[in-house]
Each structure stands twice: as structure tokens, then as C-alpha cells.
Amino acid sequence: MTDDLRSLVADLATALRTKTIQMNEAYWRLATTGKAEEAQKAAELEKQLRMFLSDKETFARLKAGVANPTGDGLLDRQVDGLYRSYLENQLAEAEITDLVQRANELEQIFSNFRGTVDGKALSDNDIREILVKSTDNTERRLAWTASKQIGAQIGPKLRDLVKARNKAAQRLGFPNYYEMQLTLSEIKSEDLFRLMNELKQLTDGPFAAMKRELDREQAGRFGVAPEEMRPWHYADPFFQEVPRSGDIVDLNPYFEGKRLEDLATRFYTGVGLDVTDILARSDLYERPGKNQHAFCTDIDHEGDIRTLCNLKPNTYWMSTLLHELGHGVYDKYVDPALPWLLRQNAHINSTEAIAMYFGRQTRDSDWLHQVAAVPEETARESAGALHKEQSASMQILVRWVLVMVFFESAMYQDPDQDLNGLWWGLVKEMQMVTPPAAELNGWEWAAKIHLGTAPVYYHNYLIGEVTASHLQAYIARETGTPRIVANPGVGKWLVERFFKPGALYPWNTLVEHATGEPLNPRYFVDQFVK
């Protein structure tokens, strides 16, 4: 039995390696070109992969393997991962084809859509720049409105896709697609919502106080009363970032005229992690048709790691590049001796933790001086304001993720409900943002790309931040210093304790294995809320 199972796993790994590489390369071409023919190729390859994973005889053998562990930890872990991959795909070919094509269509719309103001097309970078810099209320409102225009195209299609995903999940024995994805990713629903509710309770008071102060400052900047603040008065279309205010340190001038990839290389080298090969394979600057967002992809689990960005010499893109390279170094330093199926990160939230740990550095005074060449006195004098800003940013993140988690879970429970009403109700409750006086198109919720193209994902950002604070506390303890910049002990600790195990352990087991303690939100709260 064990030998048969070992042979099955080896054969599946060989086949999946080929199919996964082909699909990842296809999606890279789609993201970098936005071409319809690339979208079709990517969809076809994803369909082929999912059809391979739909084989019922193989699934039955894997199911039996999960029910009767061999005692070989490496083999049993691979069998478990394969079982979960096969379970999701125990569907008819027509259903798999339909799900893939629907999701791919949304991806293509997001890649090519540009909002318009008075007939002028605006990229996401254009809209972001207006919301960061402009003090003209009309210009801001129009730019923000343009960011929501895509919702009318995406919304009806996405709601139908949600129904199709639910139908498939229910056929596989789950109440809905949301619950299925949590289970398949080794997250218990009760644990997730316990953490979300705990973080909501811990941030209710501090966030309300911070938000009142922020609104007073912003209202003065725009010449409106605090109660007149609306979604377009914030620096991000979804209020995911701290708006500019008197206390905000404008770091953008320190990045003007600089190559962000050079700064990133200098920083990562200083902590003992090499990113030069990752950057050499990456696509870093914007152009028509290219995906406007950012991501990192491990093409083959054998070293071909790339990041896609749309760099501008500013703080936002500096943080984003550090973030994406955090994903990259995790993948790069997974132990190559592991079986191919385990040669990947432990979980989405595990790799998000590393990305966030490094992406935070642009708000660290030591990093600004040592890496970005901000004058030492300026960096030191800015330290207090930077920490205040970062604390506000983290609280804003908590409240935004609460919107996404509660909205998405409710959407999959009942996709026919008034989703726009649900969306704005959560925005008002969680983010304490007053909705616009009237609906724009009734599909504002659908303008968030993750709901369509990265479903049941967003909670991982917050779990990642909580994990990053947890790891940071232990790394400081182990290396004898809270300093990250130019501390090669950081990279050494991460490689040995967190990266090398790959997917050998479930994500929560990995945290405990690395630090000796289960994930504890206290470190995050102590760092950013209290």
C-alpha cells in the first residue's frame, strides 16, 4: 500500500510539474500583455490542469491514503495536499470549463479597463495620484467615481460566477464556495471569525479616536466640515491607506529620480537575502495592456521567480516592491531537497506575512536613512510621526479587511441579496466612512479586483500582518536586536526557521514550530494599536 501510494505521488508530481509551469507561464504572458489570445491560452491550460485533477479513480486512491496515513511524514503531507487539490475539482468537464472561463473573463476586463473623466482615460496610478495630491473636491470626486466605473461591467458577471462557484461547492458537500475554500486551505471558519471579531473589538475604540482626528485634519485640508467627509476624501479608493495630513511625513521626494529596484537590492542584500536574480526576470514598469496591479509568481518551484509591478518613484511603489520581493525570497529559499509538491510556501498567509514584514520598512527611520539615503537627522526626527502613521495604517488595514471578510462571506451565503447595500453598510460600520448620497451604478462593491480574481483571499492579508508582528518579536529576541536593516541574522533566521520547511507543515503549525508559540495577535496589537 505504501509503495503504491509513493509511486502514485511521484507520477502525479511529475505530471503536475509540467502542467503547472505551462499554466504559470501562460498567466504571466496574459498579465504582461493583456492580449485576448493569451487569455484564451491561459484559460485552456488552467482547464487542462483542473481536468487532470478531476480524475475520480486517482481521487479515490488519495482519499483512501488520507484515511490511512502511512507514518511517513513527507509522503502523508503530499497525499493530503493532493487530496485537497483533487477534492475541489471533482466536477464535470463542462462545469470546470465554465468556472475557468468566467474567472478569466473578469481578469481580462480588469487588465484592460480604464476609468474615464470627461472622456479621458485614467489608469489606476493616475487615480491614485489625484487622490493623494489633489485638494480640489470636484476633481477628487470624479477620479474616485472613475475608479468605480468598472463595477458595472464586473458586477453582474461576478454575481453569476459566485452562484456557479456555490453550485460546484455544494455538489462537493460544502455549504458554499467560501466555506469550501477555507477548508481546503486548512483554515477553520470558527477560528477565522474568532480572530476577526477579536481584532474588531480591540480596534473599535482606538480606530474611532484615530478616525475622528484624521477626519478633522482632512476636512481642514479640503475646506469641508468633518461630517462632510466622503470616500473620495481619502488617499485610496477603498480607504486602504492613511491620507495625507499635517502629521504625515511625505517621503515621496526621497524616491524621485531613484531606481527602486536598486534600493530594494541594497536592503535585501543587507539582511542576507539575494533578490538580483528575481529582479532580472521581473516586469517592473507600466505600459498599455499590462496588468496594473502587482504580484509575485513562482513559475516552477525550482528558482524561476518573478514579480510584476508598475513602478513609479514614490513610497507606494517602494513598499509594493519590497512586499512582492518578500514573496519572492520566501519561494527562493524553500529547501530544494524537499519533494516538488512541498517546495512552496506553507500557506498564502505565511507568504503574506513575509511580504508585509519587509513591505513595512519604508516607514522605518533606520531603513530610510541606511537604504533610501534620507539624512540621518531628518529620519530620526521623523521616527515618531512615522510610527504614528504606521499605526494608523495598520488600524485602517484591520478595518478594511473586516469589510472584505464579512462582505465576501455574506455574498457567498446569499448572492441575490442587496450586495451594494451590504457593502456600504459594512464600510460605514467598519471603516466609519459615510457612503455617497446616491449610488453611482449600484455595483461599487465589484470594483475590488480580489472579489473576482482572488476569491476568499483577503483574510490572509490580516493574518499575514498578525503573523509578521509575531515573527518580528521572535527575530528581535533571537538576533538580540530589533534592528532589521543591515542585520543578516534576519535572513538567516527566516531561511532556517520559516522558509526552508516549505509546505511540510500546516501554516499554524509552522508558526508554532518556528517560534514555540501559536499565532498570537497580542504582538500586532501591542505594536500598532495600544
Side-chain angles (χ1 to χ4, degrees):
M1 173 66 178
T2 298
D3 288 343
D4 288 345
L5 199 57
R6 185 172 285 111
S7 177
L8 172 65
V9 168
D11 290 344
L12 292 177
T14 298
L16 286 170
R17 176 186 176 278
T18 299
K19 294 179 181 297
T20 299
I21 291 172
Q22 290 174 342
M23 188 182 71
N24 287 343
E25 288 179 336
Y27 274 105
W28 178 261
R29 290 192 298 272
L30 170 59
T32 54
T33 68
K35 293 181 179 179
E37 58 266 33
E38 297 296 349
Q40 188 57 44
K41 291 176 186 176
E44 178 59 30
L45 287 166
E46 182 179 349
K47 174 192 168 184
Q48 290 177 18
L49 174 61
R50 295 194 62 175
M51 286 305 303
F52 180 82
L53 294 170
S54 71
D55 185 76
K56 288 179 169 45
E57 180 181 346
T58 303
F59 175 68
R61 294 174 68 185
L62 292 169
K63 186 176 181 180
V66 169
N68 300 280
T70 67
D72 180 333
L74 283 175
L75 178 59
D76 289 341
R77 184 63 178 158
Q78 291 176 85
V79 170
D80 182 69
L82 285 166
Y83 167 76
R84 285 181 280 115
S85 295
Y86 270 79
L87 175 57
E88 181 180 4
N89 290 286
Q90 296 305 294
L91 303 169
E93 180 176 359
E95 195 163 17
I96 289 176
T97 300
D98 179 60
L99 291 171
V100 171
Q101 289 180 343
R102 287 173 185 269
N104 191 263
E105 181 183 7
L106 298 184
E107 180 83 38
Q108 194 173 353
I109 293 172
F110 271 108
S111 290
N112 291 285
F113 187 89
R114 301 294 184 271
T116 60
V117 174
D118 295 330
K120 179 183 177 182
L122 299 178
S123 69
D124 284 358
N125 273 335
D126 294 332
I127 291 170
R128 188 177 294 112
E129 184 170 3
I130 291 170
L131 294 180
V132 168
K133 295 181 177 180
S134 177
T135 56
D136 184 313
N137 286 305
T138 299
E139 182 182 31
R140 296 182 67 87
R141 178 175 55 79
L142 291 174
W144 179 84
T145 300
S147 76
K148 305 303 176 189
Q149 290 168 353
I150 192 172
Q153 285 193 32
I154 292 290
K157 297 178 184 294
L158 177 51
R159 186 164 60 184
D160 288 343
L161 175 55
V162 167
K163 293 178 180 180
R165 286 169 172 165
N166 274 350
K167 184 177 179 181
Q170 288 159 2
R171 183 155 33 253
L172 296 175
F174 296 92
N176 58 55
Y177 180 82
Y178 193 91
E179 293 294 329
M180 180 181 79
Q181 289 300 313
L182 289 182
T183 300
L184 295 179
S185 64
E186 300 183 294
I187 293 179
K188 294 181 179 178
S189 179
E190 58 268 30
D191 291 342
L192 173 63
F193 286 94
R194 184 184 304 113
L195 176 62
M196 294 296 114
N197 283 308
E198 181 179 0
L199 288 168
K200 178 185 182 301
Q201 181 180 9
L202 289 169
T203 58
D204 272 342
F207 179 78
M210 182 275 293
K211 177 71 164 42
R212 284 192 297 271
E213 179 182 351
L214 186 151
D215 281 353
R216 284 195 299 269
E217 294 169 347
Q218 292 298 104
R221 181 181 172 211
F222 301 122
V224 299
E227 59 270 21
E228 295 176 309
M229 290 285 291
R230 294 296 180 269
W232 49 85
H233 288 123
Y234 302 97
D236 177 88
F238 296 98
F239 186 33
Q240 295 176 243
E241 299 174 19
V242 181
R244 290 182 62 180
S245 71
D247 289 334
I248 295 297
V249 180
D250 184 7
L251 300 173
N252 288 328
Y254 295 109
F255 298 107
E256 291 177 0
K258 295 181 180 178
R259 281 171 46 91
L260 303 189
E261 53 267 50
D262 292 343
L263 300 183
T265 300
R266 183 187 309 165
F267 166 65
Y268 275 99
T269 299
V271 298
L273 301 169
D274 178 25
V275 297
T276 55
D277 56 329
I278 300 174
L279 288 169
R281 287 185 291 267
S282 296
D283 190 319
L284 299 176
Y285 292 94
E286 66 180 343
R287 61 180 177 275
K290 178 183 171 182
N291 187 300
Q292 295 186 81
H293 299 273
F295 65 85
C296 183
T297 180
D298 183 352
I299 297 292
D300 58 5
H301 299 179
E302 295 172 354
D304 186 353
I305 301 159
R306 314 170 189 177
T307 180
L308 178 143
C309 290
N310 291 275
L311 297 182
K312 294 285 188 180
N314 57 37
T315 310
Y316 173 86
W317 279 108
M318 185 73 256
S319 296
T320 299
L321 181 59
L322 293 178
H323 177 107
E324 299 305 336
L325 289 173
H327 290 301
V329 293
Y330 190 153
D331 292 333
K332 176 176 177 173
Y333 289 100
V334 168
D335 189 349
L338 284 168
W340 187 85
L341 290 168
L342 301 181
R343 219 177 293 160
Q344 56 185 305
N345 57 68
H347 195 278
I348 293 168
N349 64 51
S350 302
T351 186
E352 287 297 349
I354 303 305
M356 290 160 172
Y357 176 78
F358 288 123
R360 292 174 178 178
Q361 295 308 301
T362 55
R363 288 295 184 270
D364 179 80
S365 58
D366 193 29
W367 187 95
L368 289 168
H369 173 58
Q370 297 290 337
V371 179
V374 175
E376 183 174 11
E377 184 177 355
T378 301
R380 186 174 60 251
E381 291 176 350
S382 302
L386 286 169
H387 181 70
K388 179 180 179 181
E389 178 187 349
Q390 193 171 38
S391 295
S393 177
M394 289 299 175
Q395 292 182 54
I396 287 171
L397 172 74
V398 170
R399 309 303 291 201
W400 163 239
V401 173
L402 290 174
V403 171
M404 287 291 289
V405 169
F406 286 110
F407 175 82
E408 192 173 20
S409 61
M411 176 177 70
Y412 279 99
Q413 289 173 27
D414 179 13
D416 285 319
Q417 66 182 296
D418 176 10
L419 293 174
N420 226 39
L422 172 66
W423 175 265
W424 285 117
L426 286 167
V427 167
K428 185 174 183 179
E429 177 187 3
M430 302 299 179
Q431 295 181 289
M432 304 179 189
V433 171
T434 302
E439 285 190 339
L440 305 177
N441 55 39
W443 302 97
E444 288 88 77
W445 60 274
K448 188 56 183 172
I449 187 171
H450 294 72
L451 292 171
T453 64
V456 199
Y457 187 104
Y458 227 86
H459 54 273
N460 291 298
Y461 290 124
L462 186 49
I463 297 175
E465 289 287 11
V466 172
T467 304
S469 292
H470 185 119
L471 295 179
Q472 184 170 336
Y474 275 87
I475 291 172
R477 189 178 307 170
E478 291 288 322
T479 63
T481 174
R483 181 175 183 173
I484 296 174
V485 178
N487 179 2
V490 169
K492 181 179 180 181
W493 190 94
L494 286 170
V495 169
E496 293 298 323
R497 304 291 289 274
F498 207 76
F499 297 167
K500 285 184 72 174
L504 183 58
Y505 309 111
W507 66 273
N508 45 3
T509 302
L510 175 64
V511 172
E512 187 168 6
H513 179 79
T515 66
E517 179 185 6
L519 182 64
N520 189 340
R522 155 174 84 83
Y523 296 108
F524 176 85
V525 172
D526 288 348
Q527 188 174 4
F528 296 118
V529 180
K530 290 185 176 179

